[in-house]
């Protein structure tokens, strides 16, 4: 009867609060009878709970409430009857408690994401699993996890000439969602917005360059759209920022031949989080399909072509009129 009441309370907590909340203490108990693989063992599961969900950086503590020593070892167990066929499990090396006796504790802090199976090397039928999820904050952070207080984030090139302002939307980036990176360049000395500044836009994740595009800013800046496949810290880098060869108010060259690209490079960082709602995405256009410079060229063409045709028409009409006047004044 008491066992039935406990189970009822457990199920109520599970349904009302949700799985994670029901086990918010992040404690796993090895129950009495776990040492016995028989079907009539007092233990309903080898670990209670058999599956637990935590976030990266969180700790789980195992409590040995059984009458024998056990281990908590990452890897694949034998299953309930596998040991009868000389299957004793396969450790994968991620964590291993070693033997800990009845009434003793063992804890482990998870620094990886994923689903991790584990078992007892002494009693390989005992199996459990941990789902480790990365926590998604409600605010944007840099690559070190520090909160970004406001946008745009600002960096200045090493030579102190050009300021780069960067914003990304949404501010908290998740995998497989389109992110828009919006940026502008300014003359540090005059605070004037700089148009037609050539640059390379680069994304680097897990030490690998995953995207690069050469472009030129227009009035008001430029943008790139991108959707990330993987989570983790990412660097957003602008390389070789330069425009024409004019001088800034302090006599420093904004353009020209840049001998040291690192002098005109700025770098930002943030963290990409696993998206719990999306597992993939369609290919998206990563840069503007049309830029303002193209619009200007089209506007010039739209205005110039009719103007040329109009001038040509007037010239032709005048020439024709003059020719008609000459013929009418000739003697018969």
């Amino acid at each position: 009867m008491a066992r039935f009441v406990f189970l009822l309370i457990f199920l109520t907590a599970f349904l009302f609060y949700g799985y994670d909340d029901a086990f918010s203490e992040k404690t796993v108990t090895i129950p009495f009878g776990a040492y016995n693989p028989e079907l009539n063992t007092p233990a309903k599961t080898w670990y209670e709970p058999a599956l637990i969900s935590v976030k990266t950086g969180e700790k789980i503590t195992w409590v040995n409430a059984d009458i024998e020593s056990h281990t908590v070892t990452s890897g694949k167990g034998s299953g309930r009857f596998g040991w009868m066929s000389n299957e004793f499990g396969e450790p994968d090396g991620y964590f291993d408690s070693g033997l800990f006796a009845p009434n003793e504790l063992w804890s482990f802090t998870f620094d990886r994401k994923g689903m991790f199976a584990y078992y007892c090397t002494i009693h390989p039928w005992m199996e459990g699993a941990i789902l480790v999820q990365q926590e998604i904050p409600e605010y944007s952070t840099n690559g070190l996890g520090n909160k970004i207080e406001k946008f745009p984030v600002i960096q200045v090139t090493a030579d102190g000439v050009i300021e780069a302002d960067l914003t990304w939307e949404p501010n908290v980036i998740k995998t497989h969602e389109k992110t828009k990176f919006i940026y502008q360049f300014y003359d540090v000395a005059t605070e004037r917005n700089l148009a037609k500044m050539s640059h390379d836009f680069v994304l680097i994740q897990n030490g690998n360059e995953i995207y690069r595009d050469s472009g030129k800013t227009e009035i008001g800046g430029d943008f790139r759209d991108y959707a990330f496949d993987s989570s983790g810290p990412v660097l957003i880098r602008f390389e070789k920022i330069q425009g024409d060869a004019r001088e800034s108010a302090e006599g420093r060259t904004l353009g020209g031949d840049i001998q040291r690209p690192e002098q005109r490079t700025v770098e930002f960082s943030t963290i990409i989080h696993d998206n719990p709602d999306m597992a993939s995405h369609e290919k998206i256009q990563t840069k503007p399909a049309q830029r303002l410079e193209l619009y200007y060229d089209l506007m010039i063409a739209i205005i110039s072509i009719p103007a040329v045709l109009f001038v040509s028409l007037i010239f032709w009409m005048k020439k024709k009129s003059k020719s008609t006047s000459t013929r009418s004044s000739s003697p018969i």
Side-chain angles (χ1 to χ4, degrees):
M1 182 65 180
R3 187 174 299 160
F4 174 79
V5 173
F6 173 81
L7 181 60
L8 181 62
I9 294 173
F10 167 78
L11 290 175
T12 302
F14 182 94
L15 294 174
F16 186 78
Y17 295 103
Y19 189 89
D20 285 345
D21 289 341
F23 299 106
S24 58
E25 293 183 2
K26 308 305 179 188
T27 298
V28 176
T29 301
I30 301 175
F32 169 70
Y35 69 92
N36 187 352
E38 296 177 2
L39 295 176
N40 61 351
T41 177
K44 298 300 180 183
T45 59
W46 310 125
Y47 301 94
E48 296 178 352
L51 170 65
I52 189 169
S53 176
V54 297
K55 297 179 175 65
T56 51
E58 287 191 328
K59 180 173 67 174
I60 296 178
T61 297
W62 281 264
V63 180
N64 187 355
D66 201 6
I67 59 173
E68 291 191 13
S69 296
H70 293 285
T71 76
V72 174
T73 306
S74 59
K76 183 180 178 181
S78 66
R80 187 151 198 162
F81 302 107
W83 61 277
M84 299 176 67
S85 302
N86 294 321
E87 295 178 13
F88 297 102
E90 299 175 3
D92 61 20
Y94 180 34
F95 57 86
D96 188 1
S97 65
L99 278 175
F100 61 109
N103 300 317
E104 289 186 347
L105 311 176
W106 183 78
S107 300
F108 186 78
T109 300
F110 289 84
D111 58 358
R112 301 183 192 174
K113 295 176 296 179
M115 179 69 79
F116 301 100
Y118 66 94
Y119 69 105
C120 174
T121 56
I122 307 302
H123 311 93
W125 54 85
M126 294 174 54
E127 295 175 307
I130 303 119
L131 174 63
V132 184
Q133 300 174 331
Q134 185 181 48
E135 183 177 4
I136 302 178
E138 297 180 354
Y139 51 84
S140 184
T141 67
N142 63 18
L144 298 176
N146 300 316
K147 182 179 180 180
I148 295 176
E149 297 295 340
K150 66 177 182 178
F151 284 96
V153 284
I154 298 172
Q155 295 286 348
V156 176
T157 55
D159 59 6
V161 174
I162 297 173
E163 173 189 307
D165 292 14
L166 175 65
T167 299
W168 52 85
E169 300 173 352
N171 294 158
V172 178
I173 304 176
K174 301 176 186 177
T175 54
H176 309 301
E177 287 185 348
K178 184 174 77 171
T179 302
K180 186 179 292 294
F181 294 96
I182 306 166
Y183 53 93
Q184 296 176 309
F185 299 134
Y186 292 90
D187 183 335
V188 171
T190 65
E191 299 183 355
R192 185 178 72 248
N193 181 259
L194 298 172
K196 296 187 177 181
M197 299 293 289
S198 63
H199 62 282
D200 284 354
F201 176 86
V202 186
L203 296 175
I204 300 171
Q205 190 176 38
N206 299 320
N208 299 315
E209 183 177 301
I210 59 175
Y211 178 75
R212 176 181 291 268
D213 181 43
S214 297
K216 183 180 290 187
T217 60
E218 301 301 331
I219 297 173
D222 209 341
F223 70 91
R224 294 291 185 280
D225 291 336
Y226 194 80
F228 292 88
D229 294 313
S230 304
S231 59
V234 64
L235 298 177
I236 306 111
R237 180 183 293 168
F238 297 93
E239 298 179 351
K240 298 179 289 187
I241 307 170
Q242 57 184 315
D244 58 35
R246 69 182 182 277
E247 303 289 326
S248 71
E250 297 184 0
R252 292 174 294 187
T253 303
L254 294 175
D257 183 19
I258 304 300
Q259 299 297 324
R260 297 178 60 192
E262 64 271 15
Q263 292 295 307
R264 289 292 175 83
T265 295
V266 293
E267 193 172 84
F268 304 85
S269 68
T270 189
I271 294 177
I272 314 303
H273 301 277
D274 279 327
N275 194 327
D277 303 317
M278 299 177 65
S280 62
H281 63 270
E282 296 181 358
K283 184 177 181 180
I284 66 170
Q285 179 120 9
T286 54
K287 62 181 179 180
Q290 293 178 311
R291 300 173 184 267
L292 291 178
E293 188 172 358
L294 177 59
Y295 295 155
Y296 296 151
D297 292 341
L298 288 175
M299 288 298 294
I300 292 173
I302 291 171
I303 296 173
S304 299
I305 292 174
V308 170
L309 291 174
F310 181 72
V311 171
S312 299
L313 179 61
I314 293 175
F315 179 78
W316 178 79
M317 291 177 66
K318 284 185 176 181
K319 185 176 180 180
K320 183 177 181 181
S321 176
K322 183 177 180 181
S323 174
T324 302
S325 175
T326 301
R327 285 199 302 270
S328 63
S329 63
S330 299
I332 300 177

